Amino acid sequence: MTMRYQTYTLHNFKNIPQIKKLSEDDILSIEVVGNVLPFKTNNYVVDELIDWDNFRTDPMFILNFPQKNMLQEEDFNHMASLIKSDADKETLRTEANIIREKLNPHPAGQLEYNVPELDGVKLSGVQHKYNETMLFFPTQGQTCHAYCTFCFRWPQFTNMNDLKFSMKEADLIVEYLKRNTQITDILITGGDPMVMKSKVFEAYITKILDANIEHLQTIRVGSKSLSFWPYRFLTDSDADDMLSIFERVTKAGKTLSFMAHFNHPRELSTEAVKQAVQKIRNTGATIRTQSPVLNHINASSAVWADMWRKQVKLGMVPYYMFIARDTGAQGYFGIPIVRAWKIFQKAYSQVSGIARTVRGPSMSCTPGKVRIIGVSEIKGEKIMALEFIQGRNSDWTARPFFAKYDCKAQWIDDLKPAFGMESFFYEEELAEMLLN
Ligand SMILES: *Cc1c(COP(=O)(O)O)cnc(C)c1O
Ligand code: SF4
């Protein structure tokens, strides 16, 4: 039997039967914040993930439904008064855009610095920052089965069109892959590429496989479909077609690595997700998991340890713990780096080595992916030890460096070098790289 897929946005969320549990204020909050930040959920999240008896503190509700405190109080009040006075759409849009601009819609220089060129033509749907792995944002995969309220890609889903990544030309990508023999991995991402029809996804994969690019070993698919719509692999009309494409990749001798995004153990608990995981694994694909650590959703070591254990039990490989990026509702979801490390350390130390494949907590920032190794004290100075998991210059990788202890810092920009140093070891070189 096919599972009906019903999405809910700002325009129809009041039709959700469970919404009657909400107060008028709760509903106004959704409308106000939902006018500024993207809002979309669906019947699977609503019926199988959210605990409606405790919705105000429920991590799954907070993951999808806009929360009042995601906006600054003055911005919230301003939007609320416009909505209450029935302001027209154009006014709402203009005012929402002003608030969006304050939310750092474009962190870590993603658009400016990482878009490669081919014969002088910018590949606008591609990011190539680290040698081995190229990111591809297929046009048809730039939405999701539901939207995470914390998403750092939120401008893609609002009408801030000029911030979108995407491109149609698969041929250019293949040509770029061929010429860049250092690339072993292509990461197909979005949005969520699993919103694409299997036929569309297949067209891209066929182009890539037919090109016979020997140095390309791994096709990664970054997706939250296992959490938001596991029926994608079970009952959707083209579910089996998608699984067949995965199998074609693995039979061609390539690795299909499904990079699954899970934020909370609840997302691993339904029959549907368990079956979908099994179906994907049966194609020969491996599933690796990742999530940011988020206040109000998973800022607890018990939650992470539970999540990693459950993932391993289902045959998945824990891969990344991220620190929430400096964009959108970071004020609501962000936690200090030191606290993220404490959560990581406590969770990591209580799981089997099989689950300690996870790396983090890591910040994806302009110089690279920076992990906090831990907090320590050296000759009376309290410090934070850091390292690059990925560096804009690959030679920076795995070289420890040290910041002054700062229990409030939430992002790399907040950190100062330890031991009286003027700057971190990479900063001068980074500044030069960004000029070119
Ligand atoms: C995280 C990331 C990758 C992949 O890094 P891995 O450590 O290989 O998973 C590639 N490109 C960008 C821009 C990234 O942020
Ligand atoms: S699924 Fe990924 S891209 Fe989509 S809203 Fe969530 S975090 Fe953002």
Side-chain angles (χ1 to χ4, degrees), residues 15 46 50 96 145-146 182 205 274 279 316 337 344 350 393 407 414-415 417-418:
N15 301 337
V46 163
I50 293 175
H145 291 100
Q182 78 278 29
I205 295 297
K274 288 177 190 170
K279 292 245 185 195
M316 299 186 272
I337 299 168
F344 179 89
Q350 59 178 286
N393 174 349
C407 65
D414 304 331
L415 296 176

Coordinates of all heavy atoms in Angstrom, one line a residue, residues 15 46 50 96 145-146 182 205 274 279 316 337 344 350 393 407 414-415 417-418:
N15 N -4.8 22.7 9.1 CA -5.6 21.5 8.8 C -5.0 20.3 9.5 O -5.6 19.2 9.5 CB -5.6 21.2 7.3 CG -6.2 22.4 6.5 OD1 -6.9 23.2 7.1 ND2 -5.8 22.4 5.3
V46 N 4.3 14.4 11.5 CA 3.2 14.8 12.4 C 2.6 13.5 13.1 O 2.4 13.6 14.3 CB 2.1 15.5 11.5 CG1 0.8 15.5 12.3 CG2 2.6 16.9 11.2
I50 N 6.3 13.2 16.1 CA 6.0 14.2 17.2 C 5.2 13.7 18.3 O 4.2 12.9 18.1 CB 5.3 15.5 16.5 CG1 6.2 16.2 15.6 CG2 4.8 16.4 17.6 CD1 5.6 17.3 14.8
A96 N 10.2 40.8 6.1 CA 10.8 39.5 6.4 C 12.2 39.5 5.9 O 13.2 39.0 6.5 CB 10.0 38.3 5.8
H145 N 11.8 17.0 2.2 CA 10.5 16.4 2.6 C 9.8 17.2 3.7 O 8.6 17.1 3.9 CB 10.6 14.9 2.9 CG 11.0 14.0 1.8 ND1 12.3 13.6 1.5 CD2 10.2 13.6 0.7 CE1 12.3 12.9 0.4 NE2 11.1 12.8 -0.1
A146 N 10.6 17.8 4.5 CA 10.2 18.7 5.5 C 11.4 19.6 5.8 O 12.5 19.3 5.3 CB 9.8 18.0 6.8
Q182 N 42.3 14.4 -8.6 CA 42.4 14.3 -7.1 C 41.0 14.0 -6.5 O 40.9 13.6 -5.3 CB 43.0 15.6 -6.5 CG 42.1 16.7 -6.3 CD 41.9 17.6 -7.6 OE1 42.0 17.1 -8.7 NE2 41.6 18.9 -7.5
I205 N 23.2 9.9 -12.3 CA 24.1 8.7 -12.0 C 24.6 8.0 -13.2 O 25.7 7.7 -13.4 CB 23.3 7.7 -11.1 CG1 23.0 8.4 -9.7 CG2 24.1 6.5 -10.8 CD1 24.2 8.8 -8.9
K274 N 13.2 1.7 10.1 CA 14.0 0.5 10.3 C 14.0 -0.3 9.0 O 15.0 -0.8 8.5 CB 13.5 -0.3 11.4 CG 13.8 0.3 12.8 CD 13.2 -0.5 13.9 CE 13.3 0.2 15.2 NZ 12.6 -0.4 16.3
K279 N 16.5 -1.8 3.6 CA 16.4 -1.8 2.1 C 17.6 -1.1 1.5 O 18.2 -1.6 0.5 CB 15.1 -1.0 1.7 CG 13.9 -1.8 2.0 CD 13.1 -2.2 0.7 CE 11.8 -2.8 1.1 NZ 11.2 -3.5 0.0
M316 N 24.3 1.2 10.8 CA 24.8 2.5 10.3 C 26.1 2.9 11.0 O 26.4 2.4 12.0 CB 23.8 3.6 10.4 CG 22.5 3.2 9.7 SD 21.3 4.6 9.7 CE 20.4 4.2 11.2
I337 N 30.9 26.1 22.4 CA 31.8 25.1 21.8 C 32.2 24.1 23.0 O 32.2 22.9 22.8 CB 33.1 25.7 21.2 CG1 32.7 26.6 20.0 CG2 34.0 24.6 20.7 CD1 33.8 27.4 19.5
F344 N 29.9 15.7 23.7 CA 30.6 14.7 22.9 C 31.4 13.8 23.7 O 31.3 12.5 23.6 CB 31.5 15.4 21.9 CG 32.3 14.5 21.0 CD1 31.7 14.0 19.8 CD2 33.6 14.0 21.3 CE1 32.4 13.2 18.9 CE2 34.2 13.2 20.5 CZ 33.7 12.7 19.3
Q350 N 31.0 6.5 26.5 CA 30.2 5.5 27.0 C 29.6 4.6 25.9 O 28.7 3.8 26.1 CB 29.0 6.0 27.8 CG 28.1 7.0 27.1 CD 27.0 7.5 27.9 OE1 26.0 6.8 28.2 NE2 27.1 8.8 28.4
N393 N 43.6 24.5 3.0 CA 44.9 23.9 2.6 C 45.0 22.5 3.3 O 44.9 22.4 4.5 CB 46.1 24.7 3.1 CG 47.4 24.1 2.8 OD1 47.5 22.9 2.4 ND2 48.5 24.9 2.9
C407 N 34.5 29.8 27.7 CA 33.3 29.0 27.9 C 32.1 29.5 27.3 O 31.0 28.9 27.2 CB 33.0 28.7 29.4 SG 32.6 30.2 30.3
D414 N 34.9 33.6 17.6 CA 34.9 34.0 19.0 C 36.2 33.6 19.7 O 36.4 34.1 20.8 CB 33.7 33.4 19.8 CG 32.3 33.7 19.1 OD1 32.2 34.7 18.5 OD2 31.4 32.8 19.3
L415 N 37.0 32.8 19.1 CA 38.2 32.3 19.8 C 39.4 33.1 19.6 O 39.6 33.7 18.5 CB 38.4 30.8 19.3 CG 37.4 29.8 19.6 CD1 37.7 28.4 19.0 CD2 37.1 29.7 21.1
P417 N 43.8 33.1 20.1 CA 44.9 32.2 20.3 C 45.4 32.1 21.7 O 45.4 33.1 22.4 CB 46.0 32.7 19.4 CG 45.3 33.6 18.4 CD 44.1 34.1 19.1
A418 N 45.9 30.9 22.1 CA 46.4 30.8 23.5 C 47.9 31.2 23.5 O 48.5 31.5 22.5 CB 46.2 29.3 23.9

